[in-house]
């Protein structure tokens, strides 16, 4: 269904934004909270452009191997409980932001 496709796109954008250390931009654009389908498409396109810019310019990308999803509810209309709390999500995001920051530091040492 359209909802499952949109959920999949949102989850992928969330994972990519975590990988590039721009999860704050994900929350700024709010593609998950668009009031209309047209607005959703605009917000998704803006997020994709940000991610594609980083891909084209070979920004450092964090390889995330754990299962990270933004929307884990089973289907549209079901008020299923999310498996993670807001605090748990923030902890994971901060940990990955820190990891990305450490990975992208270009340190030079003097000999």
């Amino acid at each position: 269904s359209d909802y499952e496709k949109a959920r999949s796109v949102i989850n992928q954008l969330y994972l990519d934004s975590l990988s590039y250390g721009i999860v704050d931009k994900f929350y700024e654009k709010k593609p998950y909270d668009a009031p209309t389908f047209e607005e959703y498409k605009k917000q998704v396109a803006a997020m994709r452009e940000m991610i594609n810019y980083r891909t084209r310019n070979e920004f450092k990308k964090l390889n995330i191997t754990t299962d990270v999803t933004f929307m884990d509810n089973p289907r549209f209309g079901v008020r299923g409980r999310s498996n993670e709390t807001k605090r748990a999500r923030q902890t994971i995001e901060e940990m990955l932001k820190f990891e990305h920051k450490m990975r992208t530091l270009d340190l030079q040492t003097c000999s």
Side-chain angles (χ1 to χ4, degrees):
S1 74
D2 288 340
Y3 175 76
E4 285 157 6
K5 288 179 198 167
R7 186 180 67 184
S8 175
V9 167
I10 296 293
N11 285 334
Q12 187 59 49
L13 288 173
Y14 180 66
L15 184 63
D16 288 342
S17 65
L18 282 172
S19 297
Y20 283 109
I22 56 168
V23 73
D24 54 329
K25 298 290 185 191
F26 177 81
Y27 286 116
E28 187 181 299
K29 295 291 180 193
K30 294 183 182 180
Y32 53 88
D33 199 24
T36 65
F37 187 66
E38 292 302 316
E39 191 66 29
Y40 160 79
K41 288 195 306 190
K42 243 193 322 191
Q43 292 166 345
V44 165
M47 275 305 299
R48 279 203 175 125
E49 183 53 40
M50 274 189 245
I51 291 166
N52 289 340
Y53 173 79
R54 283 158 176 75
T55 304
R56 280 191 310 271
N57 292 303
E58 298 177 6
F59 279 51
K60 296 234 190 316
K61 183 177 181 182
L62 191 64
N63 188 18
I64 300 174
T65 56
T66 59
D67 185 29
V68 178
T69 56
F70 183 77
M71 296 175 71
D72 62 353
N73 51 327
R75 59 188 185 277
F76 182 70
V78 173
R79 287 295 248 185
R81 304 254 326 146
S82 176
N83 292 331
E84 82 186 346
T85 62
K86 185 176 181 179
R87 180 160 174 79
R89 176 172 288 160
Q90 286 175 335
T91 302
I92 290 168
E93 287 172 0
E94 290 301 319
M95 186 176 61
L96 290 172
K97 263 198 256 183
F98 176 78
E99 196 65 37
H100 185 268
K101 186 176 182 180
M102 293 297 109
R103 184 82 42 99
T104 56
L105 288 176
D106 289 328
L107 298 177
Q108 294 180 349
T109 56
C110 299
S111 52

